[in-house]
Every structure is written in C-alpha cells, then in structure tokens.
Amino acid sequence: MIASRGVAAMDTEETAPSPLACPQCREVDQVQHVPAAHQGGRMSYQGLGPAYTGNTGYATPYHGVATSAVSSALNPMPPVRGASGYLVLGVLSTIFAGIALLVSLSLTLAGDGMSVIGLFWTWIWPALGVGMSVLGYLQYTHRSRANAEMRRGSQRVLDVWSRAWFCHRCGVVFFPDGGQAIPLPAFRAYLWQIGDYRV
C-alpha cells in the first residue's frame, strides 16, 4: 500500500505540467525566453555589392541588421525617432524669416503707393518663414518630450518584458505565473501601456 502510494506520487510529479509549458499547447519544446527570442531573430550582415558610376563598375561595402517578424513583434519599445531635423528646420526658418522681414521692410518703405497685392507678396515670405519656424520648434519640443518619456518608461517595460516567455509553435507570449496565452499584438500593446509610450 505504501509502495503503491509512493509510485502514484512519483507518477504525479512526473506528469505535473512545467511552469514554462505553453498555456495553449501545453508543451515546452518550442518555448523560449522573450529576450532570447527577440535577439535570436536579429542577424547582422555585411559584404560587398556592385555599384556603378556611369559605365564604370566597382564594389562597395554594405552592412545592416535583418530582423524577423517575430523579433520585430517582440521589440520591447518603439524606435526612438530623432528630433534634430525639426530643430534644424526651426533654425533655418528663423534665419529665412529674419532676412525676408528685412527685405519686406525695405521694400515697403521704399515703395510709395504699393498696391494691396504688392504688399501681400512682400509680406507673405516672412510670414511663411515665421510659420515654418514655429512648426519646427513645436515639433522638436514634442518629439524630445516623447523620447524622454520613452526612456523613463523603458525600465518598467524591460522588467515585465524580461519575465515573459514565447511559444514558437503557437505564436503567443505568456508569463509562468499567469497561465494565459497573449497574442503578439496584445503583448506589444500591454508593454506600451506600461511604458506610457505615445508615438
């Protein structure tokens, strides 16, 4: 009787599901840690390729990173978008608006009896410059704040992301203590909500 109970207990332990088993297929052979699945889908490449200038051909080096669809879907955060272009736009537009303003003032003072159409075409350029300048600075401020918020939320996201597991067979993410299969789009939306990402 004791032996049979011991064997039954051993059988129960052997057949107990692994905490890392996929909640959908109940298997572990295709389960991988999310950070490893993300990194495993990225491959760096480099080589030489043909290039032409006129009728002359030569070899030019190329390089890059190929990312699988799964790796891209498991990316813990959206790409950081640069803000420097908007700053350049704001600075150049400010310079253009200043020059156009000086020209418009000189034309207005020198042109006695200028028509309404003439005044319009004289002052439209500094107005456009000011508008582009304001747009550039506003976009630069918005993009800089969004990137700063993304960096602040990235640690919270990475803490959750590093605890998740991915089943290659079912294409779902799960947490060992949760027991619920999460589709990739829902997992990304969950991470972005934790990070308070606004893109």
Side-chain angles (χ1 to χ4, degrees):
M1 179 69 71
I2 295 176
S4 63
R5 287 180 180 175
V7 172
M10 291 175 62
D11 291 342
T12 302
E13 290 176 1
E14 290 177 357
T15 58
S18 168
L20 296 182
C22 172
Q24 190 160 303
C25 66
R26 305 297 179 183
E27 301 290 343
V28 297
D29 59 324
Q30 295 294 319
V31 171
Q32 190 177 18
H33 198 207
V34 162
H38 169 63
Q39 191 62 34
R42 295 168 57 85
M43 182 182 66
S44 300
Y45 61 88
Q46 60 182 358
L48 293 175
Y52 298 92
T53 301
N55 295 327
T56 304
Y58 58 94
T60 182
Y62 63 88
H63 59 87
V65 177
T67 305
S68 68
V70 169
S71 177
S72 179
L74 292 175
N75 195 345
M77 61 191 68
V80 176
R81 297 183 295 177
S84 58
Y86 291 111
L87 180 60
V88 172
L89 173 64
V91 171
L92 293 179
S93 298
T94 301
I95 295 172
F96 172 80
I99 296 173
L101 179 63
L102 292 176
V103 172
S104 299
L105 280 174
S106 63
L107 290 176
T108 302
L109 294 176
D112 294 333
M114 185 179 293
S115 65
V116 175
I117 296 178
L119 286 173
F120 172 79
W121 286 111
T122 301
W123 287 98
I124 189 64
W125 302 111
L128 287 175
V130 170
M132 292 298 293
S133 176
V134 171
L135 177 64
Y137 289 128
L138 287 177
Q139 287 294 327
Y140 171 74
T141 303
H142 171 73
R143 186 68 58 84
S144 298
R145 286 179 179 173
N147 290 340
E149 290 176 1
M150 189 182 305
R151 285 189 289 270
R152 283 195 295 270
S154 62
Q155 189 55 53
R156 298 193 302 270
V157 171
L158 290 176
D159 290 341
V160 176
W161 180 73
S162 62
R163 292 189 287 107
W165 293 79
F166 176 71
C167 178
H168 288 271
R169 178 183 289 110
C170 304
V172 295
V173 176
F174 66 94
F175 296 95
D177 54 351
Q180 180 181 2
I182 307 172
L184 288 178
F187 179 63
R188 167 171 281 190
Y190 176 60
L191 292 180
W192 287 21
Q193 181 180 7
I194 292 173
D196 196 23
Y197 296 152
R198 296 182 179 91
V199 293

